[in-house]
Amino acid sequence: MATRPPLELPCWGRLREHHAAVVRRHLRELFTEDPQRARDLTFEAAGWRVDLSKHRITRDTIQLLVQLAEQCGLAARREAMFRGERINTTEFRPVLHIALRLPRSRSLIVGDQDVVPQVHQVLDRMADFATRVRLGAWKGFTGKRIRNIVNIGIGGSDLGPAMVYEALQFHADQNLRVRYVSNVDGSDLTLALRDLDPAATLFVVCSKTFTTLETMTNARSAREWLISQLGSESAIARHFVAVSTNQAAVREFGIAPENMFVFWDWVGGRYSVDSAIGLSVMIAIGPDAFREFLAGFHAMDEHFRSAPLQRNVPVLLGLLAVWYVNFFGCQTWAVVPYEHCLRRLPSYLQQLVMESNGKSVTLQGEAVSYATAPVVWGEPGTNGQHSFFQLLHQGTVLVPCDFIGFCEAQTPLQHHHDLLIANMLAQAEALAFGRTAEEVAARGVTAGLVPHRTFQGNRPSTILMAPKLTPRSLGALIALYEHAVFTQGVIWNINSFDQWGVELGKELADRIAPELGTNEEVQHDASTTQWILYYRERRARDGRAGKPPARAN
Ligand code: F6P
């Protein structure tokens, strides 16, 4: 475990010097000088082929970054995670999402318990339930077959399953409609339900804590909708299941223990899609495909745990973020999947990266003196090319990009796929090599336009490709990012597994919510007070002064 800030490690100074030399080099030169560069800087892991050659690095950079990882104690921290030590030190918990994908034959003792049988017991219950829903053996209250699944959750209890469901739509049962409701904005729930037959609708309420304002508000409104439509409270038992670590709160909500699927406090919300939180996905794609999904995660876990650091793909991706954030001063990172079905991946990775590593205090509780997580953003290619790529190519900020693609199309429209992949490769090439003023002029462009049509290049990107988007390749991709985030957290000496930064806003919202529906005096800063009074006045004037909003918990 790093006991010194990374800046004080011998390697950091060497990386600084090295950066001063590398920053002057252009990718054009690096490729010309080193004909083996593309081959040698392309790595394989769990079915993914990852090309790092278009990064502003040399072989020395990798060596130095790996030394940094060694001096930060990455290997020991990684082992501590895999062994189930309480590395989430502010919540006093182990971090064991890796246990969720361990095969049945393995064991992992935490405290005095083997967690693997517990994991598989829940997976078996999920499989049994999912199969009954898929086959129509699980019926609604009126005897109708379930056709609609509505997952209610937010953050990790929404982004994971929603992203994975969309990603695996070609693997999903087409007779089921699966929807995800997350926002406390009533429009989300209303739009999700307005064309659904309640008698054929199953709600999966996902919340690790079962106290989250948005989820509980949506779940209560969904329960009211169902009861009013089906005319009986007894309908709940056939139309609501819960996924949570909080059994008492689930029972209190009115969902029976037999309709609850548990997970454990050692699974962080943003690391939970491979737990029972993935139930909606399992119902959609079936238990076998879900197990393949878990196998993909596990294959990447094994790679992360055992591959030498200099060929360890998650480690290298994590270290590259450190390289760009701390040495080049990059503040953002773009993720651009060239696969329509991965369109929610950027949002998913936003939570994974920014909630994990958006921290400014070290494990020891001291203020960090260096930058941590970048802002992650992105859109699917090719759409992004027609909006923000202008800035990527010719803007004044350096934005490293991850391009993600697949060799095989998911549809018979092969020419679409060829165009898609051609665009992905073209963007990475254009970013890296650009087009010089001389090249532009040689194409007959008028002198006045040459500066406008010149591309500096030297803009870094990673190409990640797998043979096909399958449950397995998707699981491996998610695990790849999880472990890259872990690596960054170790270097930055922060706790990647808590999220105290979301608490203050929740607490204040909890205080403001009832204040909006009363006339009582409020005590906030002048700006917030002014807005509360303005909203109250409009609310009363427009005749919307119904019952005050309930407290969150
Ligand atoms: O507020 C942030 C957060 O706690 C996330 O970490 C989590 O994924 C999300 O809210 C939802 O929490 P829960 O699953 O407990 O409803």
Side-chain angles (χ1 to χ4, degrees):
M1 198 176 284
T3 48
R4 280 193 290 166
L7 264 60
E8 289 175 18
L9 295 170
C11 230
W12 198 273
R14 285 205 291 281
L15 273 162
R16 242 192 236 301
E17 286 163 25
H18 175 69
H19 171 259
V22 170
V23 77
R24 291 193 294 270
R25 308 298 310 279
H26 197 289
L27 281 166
R28 279 194 289 263
E29 295 157 29
L30 297 176
F31 270 85
T32 310
E33 279 167 18
D34 181 358
Q36 307 301 331
R37 181 180 171 89
R39 193 196 65 188
D40 291 358
L41 294 181
T42 298
F43 302 87
E44 305 261 342
W48 282 88
R49 185 180 160 86
V50 180
D51 178 1
L52 305 184
S53 66
K54 292 197 189 76
H55 279 287
R56 294 177 65 177
I57 56 171
T58 64
R59 287 171 170 75
D60 289 346
T61 322
I62 293 195
Q63 233 174 28
L64 284 168
L65 287 169
V66 165
Q67 273 173 30
L68 176 68
E70 284 163 357
Q71 288 176 10
C72 288
L74 174 64
R77 284 287 294 287
R78 183 183 57 187
E79 269 320 288
M81 174 173 75
F82 276 94
R83 278 201 308 268
E85 289 176 24
R86 293 177 189 272
I87 61 166
N88 179 351
T89 47
T90 59
E91 295 178 321
F92 315 106
R93 292 173 185 162
V95 171
L96 275 177
H97 42 277
I98 53 99
L100 299 169
R101 47 261 197 162
L102 278 172
R104 210 182 280 275
S105 56
R106 297 278 288 271
S107 83
L108 177 55
I109 309 292
V110 179
D112 56 356
Q113 293 205 331
D114 188 349
V115 297
V116 179
Q118 298 174 29
V119 165
H120 282 274
Q121 196 189 15
V122 174
L123 277 172
D124 290 343
R125 279 195 61 223
M126 287 165 64
D128 176 58
F129 179 72
T131 304
R132 281 191 286 155
V133 173
R134 286 165 65 83
L135 295 178
W138 176 278
K139 301 240 186 298
F141 180 62
T142 64
K144 263 197 180 169
R145 188 176 178 156
I146 296 297
R147 293 289 184 198
N148 316 308
I149 312 292
V150 179
N151 188 92
I152 298 180
I154 198 163
S157 300
D158 165 75
L159 287 165
M163 181 276 282
V164 171
Y165 169 69
E166 301 223 343
L168 299 179
Q169 270 189 19
F170 284 100
H171 298 258
D173 183 338
Q174 294 309 299
N175 294 311
L176 289 170
R177 254 189 299 203
V178 186
R179 291 184 180 162
Y180 292 85
V181 172
S182 56
N183 201 333
V184 75
D185 184 337
S187 304
D188 198 1
L189 185 69
T190 305
L191 290 172
L193 300 187
R194 70 178 177 183
D195 60 342
L196 296 189
D197 173 2
T201 300
L202 176 75
F203 291 96
V204 180
V205 184
C206 285
S207 175
K208 181 173 170 178
T209 55
F210 230 73
T211 60
T212 304
L213 171 117
E214 293 88 340
T215 301
M216 299 326 299
T217 306
N218 278 323
R220 279 191 284 264
S221 297
R223 185 175 57 186
E224 277 172 28
W225 175 80
L226 188 92
I227 294 171
S228 72
Q229 299 278 319
L230 297 185
S232 169
E233 288 225 7
S234 315
I236 303 279
R238 305 306 298 172
H239 293 270
F240 273 82
V241 297
V243 180
S244 186
T245 59
N246 186 347
Q247 310 205 26
V250 170
R251 219 172 299 121
E252 203 185 314
F253 181 86
I255 296 178
E258 61 270 22
N259 289 348
M260 173 180 178
F261 299 86
V262 295
F263 63 114
W264 305 271
D265 69 358
W266 39 260
V267 182
R270 54 195 174 274
Y271 297 89
S272 66
V273 64
D274 45 344
S275 72
I277 290 289
L279 181 62
S280 57
V281 174
M282 190 194 264
I283 295 172
I285 66 174
D288 290 345
F290 196 82
R291 287 187 197 280
E292 272 296 295
F293 177 55
L294 298 183
F297 276 95
H298 180 62
M300 190 60 80
D301 294 343
E302 295 280 275
H303 168 87
F304 175 57
R305 194 175 188 180
S306 61
L309 297 187
Q310 50 276 49
R311 290 206 306 279
N312 194 310
V313 179
V315 169
L316 293 174
L317 284 190
L319 290 172
L320 275 175
V322 172
W323 177 237
Y324 287 112
V325 167
N326 299 116
F327 295 90
F328 282 81
C330 295
Q331 294 188 336
T332 85
W333 198 285
V335 177
V336 186
Y338 277 75
E339 166 56 63
H340 180 71
C341 291
L342 282 184
R343 61 193 177 278
R344 299 290 314 270
L345 184 69
S347 311
Y348 175 80
L349 293 180
Q350 267 171 353
Q351 188 194 12
L352 183 65
V353 174
M354 293 162 74
E355 198 167 69
S356 296
N357 287 342
K359 311 280 163 73
S360 52
V361 171
T362 66
L363 282 167
Q364 292 74 30
E366 285 147 14
V368 297
S369 54
Y370 40 87
T372 58
V375 173
V376 172
W377 58 286
E379 274 290 315
T382 59
N383 298 11
Q385 291 173 207
H386 300 274
S387 55
F388 58 81
F389 269 59
Q390 164 65 39
L391 178 147
L392 297 183
H393 287 287
Q394 290 187 318
T396 52
V397 290
L398 188 71
V399 184
C401 301
D402 287 357
F403 294 127
I404 301 164
F406 299 90
C407 301
E408 214 180 296
Q410 298 211 77
T411 73
L413 298 172
Q414 182 64 35
H415 64 295
H416 285 244
H417 196 67
D418 293 343
L419 286 171
L420 182 71
I421 297 305
N423 272 277
M424 178 177 87
L425 299 178
Q427 292 301 325
E429 185 177 3
L431 285 168
F433 302 104
R435 179 166 279 164
T436 63
E438 294 72 37
E439 286 166 347
V440 174
R443 297 168 79 91
V445 172
T446 53
L449 277 182
V450 167
H452 298 279
R453 302 199 53 178
T454 298
F455 292 77
Q456 284 170 344
N458 218 13
R459 293 169 188 241
S461 66
T462 306
I463 292 181
L464 302 100
M465 267 193 112
K468 193 171 181 184
L469 177 53
T470 62
R472 197 182 181 96
S473 63
L474 181 62
L477 181 69
I478 299 172
L480 170 55
Y481 278 106
E482 286 176 349
H483 299 318
V485 165
F486 178 89
T487 301
Q488 292 155 23
V490 172
I491 307 295
W492 289 325
N493 191 29
I494 54 180
N495 183 357
S496 302
F497 301 104
D498 60 14
Q499 54 284 317
W500 299 108
V502 302
E503 294 302 326
L504 178 57
K506 285 185 189 177
E507 198 186 303
L508 290 176
D510 207 19
R511 187 173 138 203
I512 294 172
E515 291 174 346
L516 298 176
T518 68
N519 284 320
E520 280 161 33
E521 201 181 313
V522 293
Q523 287 192 342
H524 293 272
D525 62 276
S527 169
T528 310
T529 302
Q530 161 192 280
W531 284 109
I532 292 172
L533 299 181
Y534 173 78
Y535 181 84
R536 265 186 188 173
E537 191 196 314
R538 298 301 299 243
R539 188 177 186 270
R541 196 191 324 149
D542 299 348
R544 285 180 283 116
K547 61 179 179 181
R551 285 201 165 268
N553 307 325

